Amino acid sequence: MGCSIGAAIIDQPGVEPTEALRWADLALYRSKDLGRNRMTFFEPKMDMALQNRRSLEAELRTALADGSLRMVYQPQVDIHGRIIAAEALLRWDHPQRGEIPPGIFVTLAEETGLILPLGEFVLRRVFEQTRDWRKMRVAINVSAEQMRAPGFAALVARLAARSQIDPARYELELTETALLSDEAETSANITALKRLGFSIALDDFGTGYSSLSVLQRFSVDKIKIDRSFVSCIADGGESEALVDAMIKLAKALDLRVIAEGVETAAQRTRLASCGCSEFQGFLTGRPMTAEAVATLVGEAQDAPRVAIRRRG
């Protein structure tokens, strides 16, 4: 058994019992945030953090409608440096706070239930901006909460049909934790999305459980080697051995593999020597607008569209 405790020391008169309990409750949640099985005392900055969180949540709801959320696309290249795909990345340009990192607002969205409308916004915007691309694939990040949501695959199908995109050009990137659950909804959504023609990529590969059963059970099409391994590969040693093993595993299972976080030529050379043939990172291209990507690869914006047709 484990226990998380939050405590508030009342060292001034006139504090209402409900306020004292609220302070202790804030300290309890802080104990849980720090990993549980600990005791935390209330500090005034915890109250300030809560108020800031609530304010940011309200502002994120507003951002979903006011245009301050935008999509950028980071190129993915092959061994010859040709752009073959792009990952769609969400950005938030706050009018007062400036650019807010995705690690902050996406995590907030997951914790407050906003990830579903936020995810729908991303899918709709990406489909609209890239539907006329014909020469390259597009990767879209999808959270575990979205995959667990009943009817998520049906929502994607409706958005795809409305935008008249070809699902075969789109990869849905999931983390390993999103696939570790045996929940029926997750399996049903992935099965339906695969049937529609979407491919599944496993993001941050190597940082979680890296289970072979996960790769097989969900018919993953591609793995993405995490940047934490790429950053050290130029030094050789253990990181290079691990990357080499991941790539051999991917090829044995007939999976495509890409390395993210490639920032130097030395890293790309080492990855190529291990058998990696797709790369993403600042070395190959920084995130840019959809128009900039289309210009780089010469995508015709008036190309004929392919309507989605549901099967089964």
Side-chain angles (χ1 to χ4, degrees), residues 115-144:
I115 192 63
L116 296 182
L118 188 66
E120 182 177 347
F121 170 89
V122 169
L123 288 165
R124 183 186 298 109
R125 186 61 57 87
V126 172
F127 289 164
E128 290 172 352
Q129 292 180 343
T130 66
R131 61 187 173 190
D132 292 325
W133 292 2
R134 290 294 174 266
K135 300 177 182 178
M136 55 189 297
R137 302 185 308 274
V138 181
I140 306 173
N141 290 283
V142 176
S143 74

PDB file of all heavy atoms in Angstrom, residues 115-144:
ATOM      1  N   ILE A 115      -8.352  17.725 -24.716  1.00  0.00           N
ATOM      2  CA  ILE A 115      -7.568  17.081 -25.763  1.00  0.00           C
ATOM      3  C   ILE A 115      -8.445  16.604 -26.917  1.00  0.00           C
ATOM      4  O   ILE A 115      -7.999  16.577 -28.080  1.00  0.00           O
ATOM      5  CB  ILE A 115      -6.750  15.896 -25.180  1.00  0.00           C
ATOM      6  CG1 ILE A 115      -5.705  15.418 -26.192  1.00  0.00           C
ATOM      7  CG2 ILE A 115      -7.679  14.771 -24.739  1.00  0.00           C
ATOM      8  CD1 ILE A 115      -4.669  16.436 -26.551  1.00  0.00           C
ATOM      9  N   LEU A 116      -9.698  16.264 -26.654  1.00  0.00           N
ATOM     10  CA  LEU A 116     -10.573  15.796 -27.731  1.00  0.00           C
ATOM     11  C   LEU A 116     -10.926  16.923 -28.702  1.00  0.00           C
ATOM     12  O   LEU A 116     -10.747  16.765 -29.916  1.00  0.00           O
ATOM     13  CB  LEU A 116     -11.822  15.133 -27.156  1.00  0.00           C
ATOM     14  CG  LEU A 116     -11.564  13.857 -26.338  1.00  0.00           C
ATOM     15  CD1 LEU A 116     -12.869  13.261 -25.850  1.00  0.00           C
ATOM     16  CD2 LEU A 116     -10.801  12.832 -27.163  1.00  0.00           C
ATOM     17  N   PRO A 117     -11.419  18.083 -28.223  1.00  0.00           N
ATOM     18  CA  PRO A 117     -11.647  19.176 -29.180  1.00  0.00           C
ATOM     19  C   PRO A 117     -10.361  19.702 -29.799  1.00  0.00           C
ATOM     20  O   PRO A 117     -10.346  20.104 -30.963  1.00  0.00           O
ATOM     21  CB  PRO A 117     -12.358  20.248 -28.349  1.00  0.00           C
ATOM     22  CG  PRO A 117     -12.077  19.910 -26.924  1.00  0.00           C
ATOM     23  CD  PRO A 117     -11.952  18.426 -26.886  1.00  0.00           C
ATOM     24  N   LEU A 118      -9.265  19.684 -29.035  1.00  0.00           N
ATOM     25  CA  LEU A 118      -7.986  20.122 -29.582  1.00  0.00           C
ATOM     26  C   LEU A 118      -7.516  19.168 -30.681  1.00  0.00           C
ATOM     27  O   LEU A 118      -7.037  19.603 -31.736  1.00  0.00           O
ATOM     28  CB  LEU A 118      -6.941  20.197 -28.467  1.00  0.00           C
ATOM     29  CG  LEU A 118      -5.590  20.832 -28.832  1.00  0.00           C
ATOM     30  CD1 LEU A 118      -5.770  22.305 -29.141  1.00  0.00           C
ATOM     31  CD2 LEU A 118      -4.587  20.658 -27.696  1.00  0.00           C
ATOM     32  N   GLY A 119      -7.667  17.873 -30.434  1.00  0.00           N
ATOM     33  CA  GLY A 119      -7.284  16.889 -31.441  1.00  0.00           C
ATOM     34  C   GLY A 119      -8.132  16.991 -32.697  1.00  0.00           C
ATOM     35  O   GLY A 119      -7.630  16.842 -33.818  1.00  0.00           O
ATOM     36  N   GLU A 120      -9.418  17.267 -32.529  1.00  0.00           N
ATOM     37  CA  GLU A 120     -10.294  17.447 -33.695  1.00  0.00           C
ATOM     38  C   GLU A 120      -9.878  18.675 -34.491  1.00  0.00           C
ATOM     39  O   GLU A 120      -9.881  18.662 -35.728  1.00  0.00           O
ATOM     40  CB  GLU A 120     -11.744  17.576 -33.239  1.00  0.00           C
ATOM     41  CG  GLU A 120     -12.721  17.726 -34.388  1.00  0.00           C
ATOM     42  CD  GLU A 120     -14.178  17.775 -33.937  1.00  0.00           C
ATOM     43  OE1 GLU A 120     -14.446  17.450 -32.755  1.00  0.00           O
ATOM     44  OE2 GLU A 120     -15.037  18.144 -34.759  1.00  0.00           O
ATOM     45  N   PHE A 121      -9.500  19.742 -33.778  1.00  0.00           N
ATOM     46  CA  PHE A 121      -9.017  20.954 -34.448  1.00  0.00           C
ATOM     47  C   PHE A 121      -7.794  20.639 -35.309  1.00  0.00           C
ATOM     48  O   PHE A 121      -7.699  21.074 -36.465  1.00  0.00           O
ATOM     49  CB  PHE A 121      -8.669  22.012 -33.396  1.00  0.00           C
ATOM     50  CG  PHE A 121      -7.947  23.220 -33.945  1.00  0.00           C
ATOM     51  CD1 PHE A 121      -8.648  24.317 -34.415  1.00  0.00           C
ATOM     52  CD2 PHE A 121      -6.553  23.250 -33.988  1.00  0.00           C
ATOM     53  CE1 PHE A 121      -7.984  25.429 -34.927  1.00  0.00           C
ATOM     54  CE2 PHE A 121      -5.880  24.352 -34.500  1.00  0.00           C
ATOM     55  CZ  PHE A 121      -6.595  25.438 -34.972  1.00  0.00           C
ATOM     56  N   VAL A 122      -6.858  19.868 -34.748  1.00  0.00           N
ATOM     57  CA  VAL A 122      -5.634  19.529 -35.473  1.00  0.00           C
ATOM     58  C   VAL A 122      -5.953  18.714 -36.725  1.00  0.00           C
ATOM     59  O   VAL A 122      -5.469  19.012 -37.823  1.00  0.00           O
ATOM     60  CB  VAL A 122      -4.666  18.752 -34.557  1.00  0.00           C
ATOM     61  CG1 VAL A 122      -3.522  18.155 -35.372  1.00  0.00           C
ATOM     62  CG2 VAL A 122      -4.118  19.665 -33.470  1.00  0.00           C
ATOM     63  N   LEU A 123      -6.773  17.688 -36.577  1.00  0.00           N
ATOM     64  CA  LEU A 123      -7.112  16.847 -37.725  1.00  0.00           C
ATOM     65  C   LEU A 123      -7.787  17.654 -38.828  1.00  0.00           C
ATOM     66  O   LEU A 123      -7.435  17.533 -40.006  1.00  0.00           O
ATOM     67  CB  LEU A 123      -8.029  15.710 -37.274  1.00  0.00           C
ATOM     68  CG  LEU A 123      -7.368  14.603 -36.445  1.00  0.00           C
ATOM     69  CD1 LEU A 123      -8.420  13.743 -35.765  1.00  0.00           C
ATOM     70  CD2 LEU A 123      -6.472  13.741 -37.319  1.00  0.00           C
ATOM     71  N   ARG A 124      -8.755  18.489 -38.441  1.00  0.00           N
ATOM     72  CA  ARG A 124      -9.472  19.284 -39.442  1.00  0.00           C
ATOM     73  C   ARG A 124      -8.522  20.238 -40.161  1.00  0.00           C
ATOM     74  O   ARG A 124      -8.540  20.339 -41.391  1.00  0.00           O
ATOM     75  CB  ARG A 124     -10.599  20.069 -38.774  1.00  0.00           C
ATOM     76  CG  ARG A 124     -11.442  20.869 -39.780  1.00  0.00           C
ATOM     77  CD  ARG A 124     -12.469  21.747 -39.110  1.00  0.00           C
ATOM     78  NE  ARG A 124     -13.435  20.973 -38.347  1.00  0.00           N
ATOM     79  CZ  ARG A 124     -13.499  20.934 -37.027  1.00  0.00           C
ATOM     80  NH1 ARG A 124     -12.628  21.641 -36.302  1.00  0.00           N
ATOM     81  NH2 ARG A 124     -14.409  20.227 -36.417  1.00  0.00           N
ATOM     82  N   ARG A 125      -7.669  20.912 -39.384  1.00  0.00           N
ATOM     83  CA  ARG A 125      -6.774  21.894 -39.982  1.00  0.00           C
ATOM     84  C   ARG A 125      -5.725  21.218 -40.891  1.00  0.00           C
ATOM     85  O   ARG A 125      -5.442  21.711 -41.986  1.00  0.00           O
ATOM     86  CB  ARG A 125      -6.088  22.692 -38.876  1.00  0.00           C
ATOM     87  CG  ARG A 125      -5.230  23.855 -39.367  1.00  0.00           C
ATOM     88  CD  ARG A 125      -6.053  24.895 -40.124  1.00  0.00           C
ATOM     89  NE  ARG A 125      -7.144  25.422 -39.343  1.00  0.00           N
ATOM     90  CZ  ARG A 125      -7.051  26.465 -38.515  1.00  0.00           C
ATOM     91  NH1 ARG A 125      -5.880  27.061 -38.359  1.00  0.00           N
ATOM     92  NH2 ARG A 125      -8.106  26.897 -37.860  1.00  0.00           N
ATOM     93  N   VAL A 126      -5.165  20.098 -40.432  1.00  0.00           N
ATOM     94  CA  VAL A 126      -4.151  19.409 -41.236  1.00  0.00           C
ATOM     95  C   VAL A 126      -4.759  18.882 -42.536  1.00  0.00           C
ATOM     96  O   VAL A 126      -4.169  19.023 -43.616  1.00  0.00           O
ATOM     97  CB  VAL A 126      -3.506  18.263 -40.433  1.00  0.00           C
ATOM     98  CG1 VAL A 126      -2.595  17.420 -41.331  1.00  0.00           C
ATOM     99  CG2 VAL A 126      -2.699  18.822 -39.275  1.00  0.00           C
ATOM    100  N   PHE A 127      -5.922  18.270 -42.447  1.00  0.00           N
ATOM    101  CA  PHE A 127      -6.570  17.764 -43.659  1.00  0.00           C
ATOM    102  C   PHE A 127      -6.831  18.892 -44.653  1.00  0.00           C
ATOM    103  O   PHE A 127      -6.627  18.731 -45.863  1.00  0.00           O
ATOM    104  CB  PHE A 127      -7.879  17.053 -43.312  1.00  0.00           C
ATOM    105  CG  PHE A 127      -7.706  15.730 -42.609  1.00  0.00           C
ATOM    106  CD1 PHE A 127      -8.764  15.136 -41.936  1.00  0.00           C
ATOM    107  CD2 PHE A 127      -6.489  15.078 -42.613  1.00  0.00           C
ATOM    108  CE1 PHE A 127      -8.617  13.926 -41.292  1.00  0.00           C
ATOM    109  CE2 PHE A 127      -6.319  13.857 -41.970  1.00  0.00           C
ATOM    110  CZ  PHE A 127      -7.398  13.282 -41.308  1.00  0.00           C
ATOM    111  N   GLU A 128      -7.285  20.032 -44.137  1.00  0.00           N
ATOM    112  CA  GLU A 128      -7.580  21.163 -45.021  1.00  0.00           C
ATOM    113  C   GLU A 128      -6.321  21.705 -45.690  1.00  0.00           C
ATOM    114  O   GLU A 128      -6.325  22.039 -46.872  1.00  0.00           O
ATOM    115  CB  GLU A 128      -8.260  22.284 -44.223  1.00  0.00           C
ATOM    116  CG  GLU A 128      -9.683  21.960 -43.771  1.00  0.00           C
ATOM    117  CD  GLU A 128     -10.235  23.024 -42.835  1.00  0.00           C
ATOM    118  OE1 GLU A 128      -9.453  23.914 -42.426  1.00  0.00           O
ATOM    119  OE2 GLU A 128     -11.433  22.956 -42.506  1.00  0.00           O
ATOM    120  N   GLN A 129      -5.223  21.783 -44.917  1.00  0.00           N
ATOM    121  CA  GLN A 129      -4.003  22.403 -45.430  1.00  0.00           C
ATOM    122  C   GLN A 129      -3.190  21.483 -46.341  1.00  0.00           C
ATOM    123  O   GLN A 129      -2.399  21.967 -47.157  1.00  0.00           O
ATOM    124  CB  GLN A 129      -3.128  22.872 -44.261  1.00  0.00           C
ATOM    125  CG  GLN A 129      -3.731  24.031 -43.479  1.00  0.00           C
ATOM    126  CD  GLN A 129      -2.839  24.485 -42.333  1.00  0.00           C
ATOM    127  OE1 GLN A 129      -1.937  23.771 -41.907  1.00  0.00           O
ATOM    128  NE2 GLN A 129      -3.080  25.685 -41.839  1.00  0.00           N
ATOM    129  N   THR A 130      -3.357  20.178 -46.201  1.00  0.00           N
ATOM    130  CA  THR A 130      -2.494  19.243 -46.947  1.00  0.00           C
ATOM    131  C   THR A 130      -3.269  18.358 -47.917  1.00  0.00           C
ATOM    132  O   THR A 130      -2.670  17.459 -48.508  1.00  0.00           O
ATOM    133  CB  THR A 130      -1.724  18.340 -45.965  1.00  0.00           C
ATOM    134  OG1 THR A 130      -2.649  17.490 -45.263  1.00  0.00           O
ATOM    135  CG2 THR A 130      -0.948  19.160 -44.950  1.00  0.00           C
ATOM    136  N   ARG A 131      -4.545  18.583 -48.100  1.00  0.00           N
ATOM    137  CA  ARG A 131      -5.347  17.672 -48.920  1.00  0.00           C
ATOM    138  C   ARG A 131      -4.899  17.639 -50.386  1.00  0.00           C
ATOM    139  O   ARG A 131      -5.122  16.653 -51.081  1.00  0.00           O
ATOM    140  CB  ARG A 131      -6.826  18.066 -48.843  1.00  0.00           C
ATOM    141  CG  ARG A 131      -7.145  19.457 -49.359  1.00  0.00           C
ATOM    142  CD  ARG A 131      -8.579  19.813 -49.074  1.00  0.00           C
ATOM    143  NE  ARG A 131      -8.872  21.203 -49.407  1.00  0.00           N
ATOM    144  CZ  ARG A 131     -10.011  21.802 -49.063  1.00  0.00           C
ATOM    145  NH1 ARG A 131     -10.939  21.134 -48.405  1.00  0.00           N
ATOM    146  NH2 ARG A 131     -10.221  23.058 -49.389  1.00  0.00           N
ATOM    147  N   ASP A 132      -4.281  18.709 -50.868  1.00  0.00           N
ATOM    148  CA  ASP A 132      -3.856  18.743 -52.261  1.00  0.00           C
ATOM    149  C   ASP A 132      -2.423  18.251 -52.467  1.00  0.00           C
ATOM    150  O   ASP A 132      -1.943  18.218 -53.597  1.00  0.00           O
ATOM    151  CB  ASP A 132      -3.987  20.170 -52.822  1.00  0.00           C
ATOM    152  CG  ASP A 132      -5.443  20.606 -52.932  1.00  0.00           C
ATOM    153  OD1 ASP A 132      -6.284  19.746 -53.228  1.00  0.00           O
ATOM    154  OD2 ASP A 132      -5.724  21.791 -52.706  1.00  0.00           O
ATOM    155  N   TRP A 133      -1.746  17.890 -51.370  1.00  0.00           N
ATOM    156  CA  TRP A 133      -0.398  17.351 -51.510  1.00  0.00           C
ATOM    157  C   TRP A 133      -0.502  15.946 -52.101  1.00  0.00           C
ATOM    158  O   TRP A 133      -1.321  15.136 -51.684  1.00  0.00           O
ATOM    159  CB  TRP A 133       0.309  17.290 -50.164  1.00  0.00           C
ATOM    160  CG  TRP A 133       0.618  18.631 -49.575  1.00  0.00           C
ATOM    161  CD1 TRP A 133       0.301  19.851 -50.096  1.00  0.00           C
ATOM    162  CD2 TRP A 133       1.292  18.889 -48.339  1.00  0.00           C
ATOM    163  NE1 TRP A 133       0.742  20.858 -49.254  1.00  0.00           N
ATOM    164  CE2 TRP A 133       1.349  20.286 -48.183  1.00  0.00           C
ATOM    165  CE3 TRP A 133       1.841  18.072 -47.366  1.00  0.00           C
ATOM    166  CZ2 TRP A 133       1.949  20.896 -47.073  1.00  0.00           C
ATOM    167  CZ3 TRP A 133       2.435  18.661 -46.251  1.00  0.00           C
ATOM    168  CH2 TRP A 133       2.491  20.062 -46.110  1.00  0.00           C
ATOM    169  N   ARG A 134       0.370  15.641 -53.039  1.00  0.00           N
ATOM    170  CA  ARG A 134       0.340  14.316 -53.648  1.00  0.00           C
ATOM    171  C   ARG A 134       1.691  13.613 -53.590  1.00  0.00           C
ATOM    172  O   ARG A 134       1.773  12.408 -53.792  1.00  0.00           O
ATOM    173  CB  ARG A 134      -0.103  14.432 -55.122  1.00  0.00           C
ATOM    174  CG  ARG A 134      -1.576  14.812 -55.277  1.00  0.00           C
ATOM    175  CD  ARG A 134      -2.486  13.702 -54.770  1.00  0.00           C
ATOM    176  NE  ARG A 134      -3.878  14.113 -54.778  1.00  0.00           N
ATOM    177  CZ  ARG A 134      -4.497  14.638 -53.731  1.00  0.00           C
ATOM    178  NH1 ARG A 134      -3.844  14.810 -52.594  1.00  0.00           N
ATOM    179  NH2 ARG A 134      -5.765  14.979 -53.806  1.00  0.00           N
ATOM    180  N   LYS A 135       2.746  14.343 -53.331  1.00  0.00           N
ATOM    181  CA  LYS A 135       4.081  13.762 -53.401  1.00  0.00           C
ATOM    182  C   LYS A 135       4.649  13.357 -52.046  1.00  0.00           C
ATOM    183  O   LYS A 135       5.768  12.873 -51.966  1.00  0.00           O
ATOM    184  CB  LYS A 135       5.047  14.758 -54.054  1.00  0.00           C
ATOM    185  CG  LYS A 135       4.665  15.154 -55.472  1.00  0.00           C
ATOM    186  CD  LYS A 135       5.621  16.176 -56.023  1.00  0.00           C
ATOM    187  CE  LYS A 135       5.229  16.622 -57.424  1.00  0.00           C
ATOM    188  NZ  LYS A 135       6.132  17.662 -57.951  1.00  0.00           N
ATOM    189  N   MET A 136       3.908  13.575 -50.979  1.00  0.00           N
ATOM    190  CA  MET A 136       4.481  13.300 -49.665  1.00  0.00           C
ATOM    191  C   MET A 136       3.423  12.895 -48.665  1.00  0.00           C
ATOM    192  O   MET A 136       2.244  13.219 -48.804  1.00  0.00           O
ATOM    193  CB  MET A 136       5.250  14.522 -49.153  1.00  0.00           C
ATOM    194  CG  MET A 136       4.422  15.795 -49.110  1.00  0.00           C
ATOM    195  SD  MET A 136       5.420  17.236 -48.770  1.00  0.00           S
ATOM    196  CE  MET A 136       6.025  16.872 -47.141  1.00  0.00           C
ATOM    197  N   ARG A 137       3.876  12.159 -47.639  1.00  0.00           N
ATOM    198  CA  ARG A 137       2.994  11.738 -46.560  1.00  0.00           C
ATOM    199  C   ARG A 137       2.950  12.812 -45.472  1.00  0.00           C
ATOM    200  O   ARG A 137       3.817  13.676 -45.405  1.00  0.00           O
ATOM    201  CB  ARG A 137       3.493  10.420 -45.946  1.00  0.00           C
ATOM    202  CG  ARG A 137       3.595   9.270 -46.945  1.00  0.00           C
ATOM    203  CD  ARG A 137       3.981   7.980 -46.242  1.00  0.00           C
ATOM    204  NE  ARG A 137       5.184   8.147 -45.420  1.00  0.00           N
ATOM    205  CZ  ARG A 137       6.407   8.028 -45.869  1.00  0.00           C
ATOM    206  NH1 ARG A 137       6.625   7.769 -47.150  1.00  0.00           N
ATOM    207  NH2 ARG A 137       7.444   8.170 -45.063  1.00  0.00           N
ATOM    208  N   VAL A 138       1.952  12.704 -44.603  1.00  0.00           N
ATOM    209  CA  VAL A 138       1.805  13.637 -43.495  1.00  0.00           C
ATOM    210  C   VAL A 138       1.597  12.839 -42.212  1.00  0.00           C
ATOM    211  O   VAL A 138       0.749  11.939 -42.162  1.00  0.00           O
ATOM    212  CB  VAL A 138       0.615  14.596 -43.715  1.00  0.00           C
ATOM    213  CG1 VAL A 138       0.494  15.572 -42.545  1.00  0.00           C
ATOM    214  CG2 VAL A 138       0.763  15.353 -45.028  1.00  0.00           C
ATOM    215  N   ALA A 139       2.385  13.145 -41.181  1.00  0.00           N
ATOM    216  CA  ALA A 139       2.261  12.481 -39.882  1.00  0.00           C
ATOM    217  C   ALA A 139       1.519  13.389 -38.915  1.00  0.00           C
ATOM    218  O   ALA A 139       1.795  14.589 -38.832  1.00  0.00           O
ATOM    219  CB  ALA A 139       3.640  12.146 -39.325  1.00  0.00           C
ATOM    220  N   ILE A 140       0.566  12.813 -38.176  1.00  0.00           N
ATOM    221  CA  ILE A 140      -0.245  13.568 -37.217  1.00  0.00           C
ATOM    222  C   ILE A 140      -0.179  12.865 -35.870  1.00  0.00           C
ATOM    223  O   ILE A 140      -0.435  11.659 -35.776  1.00  0.00           O
ATOM    224  CB  ILE A 140      -1.715  13.661 -37.668  1.00  0.00           C
ATOM    225  CG1 ILE A 140      -1.812  14.218 -39.086  1.00  0.00           C
ATOM    226  CG2 ILE A 140      -2.519  14.521 -36.705  1.00  0.00           C
ATOM    227  CD1 ILE A 140      -3.220  14.187 -39.656  1.00  0.00           C
ATOM    228  N   ASN A 141       0.138  13.603 -34.820  1.00  0.00           N
ATOM    229  CA  ASN A 141       0.190  13.030 -33.480  1.00  0.00           C
ATOM    230  C   ASN A 141      -1.221  12.849 -32.919  1.00  0.00           C
ATOM    231  O   ASN A 141      -2.046  13.754 -32.997  1.00  0.00           O
ATOM    232  CB  ASN A 141       0.996  13.935 -32.547  1.00  0.00           C
ATOM    233  CG  ASN A 141       2.472  13.927 -32.890  1.00  0.00           C
ATOM    234  OD1 ASN A 141       3.194  12.992 -32.570  1.00  0.00           O
ATOM    235  ND2 ASN A 141       2.923  14.977 -33.568  1.00  0.00           N
ATOM    236  N   VAL A 142      -1.467  11.684 -32.337  1.00  0.00           N
ATOM    237  CA  VAL A 142      -2.754  11.370 -31.730  1.00  0.00           C
ATOM    238  C   VAL A 142      -2.499  10.887 -30.312  1.00  0.00           C
ATOM    239  O   VAL A 142      -1.606  10.061 -30.084  1.00  0.00           O
ATOM    240  CB  VAL A 142      -3.502  10.285 -32.535  1.00  0.00           C
ATOM    241  CG1 VAL A 142      -4.797   9.894 -31.832  1.00  0.00           C
ATOM    242  CG2 VAL A 142      -3.800  10.789 -33.946  1.00  0.00           C
ATOM    243  N   SER A 143      -3.253  11.395 -29.354  1.00  0.00           N
ATOM    244  CA  SER A 143      -3.027  11.054 -27.946  1.00  0.00           C
ATOM    245  C   SER A 143      -3.751   9.768 -27.559  1.00  0.00           C
ATOM    246  O   SER A 143      -4.665   9.308 -28.253  1.00  0.00           O
ATOM    247  CB  SER A 143      -3.506  12.194 -27.036  1.00  0.00           C
ATOM    248  OG  SER A 143      -4.930  12.213 -27.000  1.00  0.00           O
ATOM    249  N   ALA A 144      -3.346   9.207 -26.425  1.00  0.00           N
ATOM    250  CA  ALA A 144      -3.995   8.000 -25.909  1.00  0.00           C
ATOM    251  C   ALA A 144      -5.452   8.271 -25.594  1.00  0.00           C
ATOM    252  O   ALA A 144      -6.320   7.406 -25.791  1.00  0.00           O
ATOM    253  CB  ALA A 144      -3.256   7.528 -24.647  1.00  0.00           C
TER     254      ALA A 144
END
